[in-house]
């Protein structure tokens, strides 16, 4: 075990040594010069030397230690709260310093690990953005070049190719709009305008909006609610965005002739909202990363379906800005259920 020696103990030993040494010299001088000194006088002499050197040593040591500790605390960026203890020369001081430095080192290590992770994430993100933007730019360019290289005598052909170029540019616009939205959330520049509203009403509006694609896929959309209204306190525009994303996903990634079902569960202060489909589902390995930007579970199948891969990331940002939570569970071949909570509106 390591012993921590306090300035008091060091000063004590040092001044004892000096006192004994100088008493010995004093004794020698007395003997050499035959001076008449009484034992009492020896004792007083030793004591005086001891006290003076003790005070001197302690003063020097404490000043020295204090100056070193001050530098340590400046380095670790922590306020030094125990000046008085240092001045008293307490043993605890050094233990406290040791503990604070160890704590600081652990924190620093953690910070470095986090920064490395974020750096990795940032690099991946830049790569993903470039890749996602490149595809529509490249496609649009291809269609326009084809038109330019043609004889320009077939208006139907030109129109068709320009429309294709246009839809790629629209996709580009969607990606950039979504990215700006995410960036606003992540830098905390999104203001929520919370109010009381009926979730059932908003869901029915979103159903209406997606009725056309649902019919094409023959997907049946149903709200299951015992009450006719479910009043929540949230930002209605943002929650509409969440529902649009989750409901459109359930249709897009569900199955033909399938179902999209919405359920509510009363949790005292909150409602749990579930959006369930009976589609092919998502395999377990993808679930933890599903809310990441640009993450797509089934890349080959998804290429055919228009989407930016940013929807769920925005959804998560919106729910978390409301200080609520969102989860997903899924079983291959059975379907996927997204569930999120919202604050209940309780009239006063
Ligand atoms: N209901 C669902 N069933 C199966 N897969 C889904 C479902 N919802 C989302 N996914 C998967 O999660 C991915 C991310 O969804 P999202 O962020 O909304 O992006 P996007 O809809 O633009 O593809 C989708 O590409 C899809 O692979
Ligand atoms: Mg989506």
């Amino acid at each position: 075990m390591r012993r921590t020696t306090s300035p008091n103990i060091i000063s004590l030993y040092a001044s004892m040594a000096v006192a004994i040494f100088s008493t010995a010299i004093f004794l020698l001088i007395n003997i050499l010069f035959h001076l008449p000194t009484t034992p009492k006088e020896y004792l007083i002499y030793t004591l005086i030397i001891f006290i003076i050197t003790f005070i001197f040593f302690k003063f020097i040591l404490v000043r020295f230690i204090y100056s070193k500790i001050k530098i340590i605390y400046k380095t670790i960026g922590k306020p030094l709260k125990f000046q008085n203890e240092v001045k008293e020369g307490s043993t605890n001081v050094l233990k406290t310093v040791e503990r604070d430095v160890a704590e600081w080192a652990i924190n620093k290590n953690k910070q470095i690990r986090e920064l490395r992770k974020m750096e990795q994430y940032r690099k991946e993100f830049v790569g993903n953005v470039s890749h996602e933007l490149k595809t529509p730019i490249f496609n649009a360019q291809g269609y326009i070049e084809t038109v330019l290289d043609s004889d320009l005598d077939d208006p139907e052909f030109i129109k068709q190719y320009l429309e294709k170029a246009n839809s790629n540019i629209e996709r580009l616009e969607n990606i950039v709009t979504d990215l700006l939205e995410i960036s606003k959330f992540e830098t905390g520049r999104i203001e929520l305008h919370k109010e009381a509203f009926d979730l059932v009403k908003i869901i029915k509006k979103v159903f209406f909006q997606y009725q056309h694609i649902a019919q094409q896929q023959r997907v049946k959309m149903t709200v299951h609610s015992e009450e006719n209204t479910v009043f929540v306190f949230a930002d209605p525009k943002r929650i509409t965005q969440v529902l649009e994303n989750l409901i459109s996903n359930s249709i897009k990634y569900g199955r033909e002739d399938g179902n999209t079902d919405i359920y509510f569960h009363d949790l005292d202060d909150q409602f749990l909202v579930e959006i369930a489909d009976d589609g092919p589902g998502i395999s377990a390995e993808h679930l933890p990363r599903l809310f990441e930007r640009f993450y797509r579970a089934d890349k080959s199948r998804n290429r055919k379906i228009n989407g930016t891969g940013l929807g769920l990331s925005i959804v998560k940002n919106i729910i978390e800005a409301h200080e609520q939570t969102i989860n997903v569970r899924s079983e291959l071949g059975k379907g996927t259920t997204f569930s999120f909570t919202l604050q209940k509106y309780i009239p006063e």
Side-chain angles (χ1 to χ4, degrees), residues 244-246 248-250 252-253 306-312 315:
E244 282 170 354
N245 252 304
L246 295 178
S248 70
N249 278 356
S250 78
K252 279 198 302 192
Y253 303 114
N306 239 346
T308 59
L310 293 168
L312 286 179
V315 163

Side-chain angles (χ1 to χ4, degrees), residues 72-73 76 78 94-109:
I72 292 176
Y73 274 75
I76 70 176
K78 210 177 158 170
L94 295 179
K95 281 190 185 139
T96 313
V97 174
E98 230 176 273
R99 204 197 51 221
D100 283 351
V101 171
E103 217 171 71
W104 170 81
I106 291 169
N107 273 338
K108 269 278 159 305
N109 266 334

